[in-house]
Amino acid sequence: MKRITLILAACCMMFTACAQNLNNQTNKQSKNMKKTLVSYFSATGNTKAAAQKLAEELGADLYEITPEVAYTSADLDWRDKGSRSTQEMRDRSSRPAVKGRCENIADYDTVWIGFPVWWYTAPTIVNTFIEAHDLSGKVLNVFATSGGSGVEGSANDLKKAYPQYKWGESRLLN
C-alpha cells in the first residue's frame, strides 16, 4: 500500500511539474505574440468601413482618430479655397486637435494608419496622431481610401516626414 501511495504521489508531482512547464510556455508565447492596431481617420465613413474590414481580416484592434471638432460638409468642400480642409492642407504644419489618445499604444507591435487621401497625401490630422504617440519599435503600415489617387504618394510623404520609424506596407482600400 505504501508503494502504491508513493507511486501515486510521484505521478502527481510529475503531472504538476508538466502542467507548470506547459503553463510557463503558454505565458511566454502569449507575451511574444504580436498585436496589431488599425488606427484610422474617417471624414465621411468610407475609411471607417475600410478600417473595420481590415481589422477583421487581421484580427486587429480598432482605434478611431477623432477630430476635436468634427468636419462638416462645408469643411470638406475641396472646391472652396476657404474650407477648413483646404486651409489645413495648404498649411502642412497644421495639426488639427484630436479627442484623446490611444492610451495602450505600447501594447502593439504593428500599427496600421488609415485615412482618406486629401490633396494627394494624408490629412494633417494624421500627423497629429503620429506626433502624439511613441511609435518607436513598431512596424507602421499605411492604408488609404481615395476616389482617384493612389496610396504611394501619401505613404512616401509619411515616410519622409517620420524617417525615425520603421515603415512597412501600403494598401489602397475602397
Side-chain angles (χ1 to χ4, degrees), residues 142-155:
V142 174
F143 74 96
T145 56
S146 175
S149 301
V151 69
E152 298 81 18
S154 301

Side-chain angles (χ1 to χ4, degrees), residues 23-150:
N23 191 31
N24 287 341
Q25 287 177 341
T26 302
N27 286 341
K28 284 180 189 173
Q29 285 175 345
S30 63
K31 286 180 185 173
N32 291 333
M33 288 181 70
K34 304 238 182 246
K35 283 186 74 178
T36 301
L37 176 69
V38 172
S39 59
Y40 67 93
F41 163 67
S42 185
T44 63
N46 294 334
T47 305
K48 180 177 184 172
Q52 290 170 332
K53 210 171 179 182
L54 181 62
E56 186 176 320
E57 172 192 323
L58 300 172
D61 295 334
L62 272 172
Y63 177 79
E64 184 173 7
I65 302 166
T66 307
E68 200 167 88
V69 176
Y71 289 89
T72 65
S73 295
D75 291 336
L76 299 172
D77 184 358
W78 57 272
R79 295 167 299 209
D80 179 359
K81 292 183 188 314
S83 74
R84 179 175 160 200
S85 59
T86 300
Q87 294 301 315
E88 289 173 0
M89 296 309 291
R90 200 177 275 152
D91 177 7
R92 297 303 172 137
S93 66
S94 170
R95 297 296 182 265
V98 296
K99 286 183 186 175
R101 299 172 27 97
C102 182
E103 296 299 332
N104 61 338
I105 197 95
D107 296 347
Y108 299 97
D109 303 290
T110 302
V111 177
W112 284 83
I113 302 170
F115 49 85
V117 176
W118 287 3
W119 290 261
Y120 306 103
T121 195
T124 56
I125 195 167
V126 170
N127 300 83
T128 305
F129 171 78
I130 292 171
E131 293 168 10
H133 296 87
D134 180 8
L135 302 172
S136 304
K138 301 175 186 326
V139 175
L140 304 181
N141 297 313
V142 174
F143 74 96
T145 56
S146 175
S149 301

Side-chain angles (χ1 to χ4, degrees), residues 113 130 139-142 155 158-159 162-163 165-169:
I113 302 170
I130 292 171
V139 175
L140 304 181
N141 297 313
V142 174
L158 290 171
K159 290 174 188 177
Y162 305 100
Y165 296 129
K166 181 179 179 184
W167 292 92
E169 67 178 289

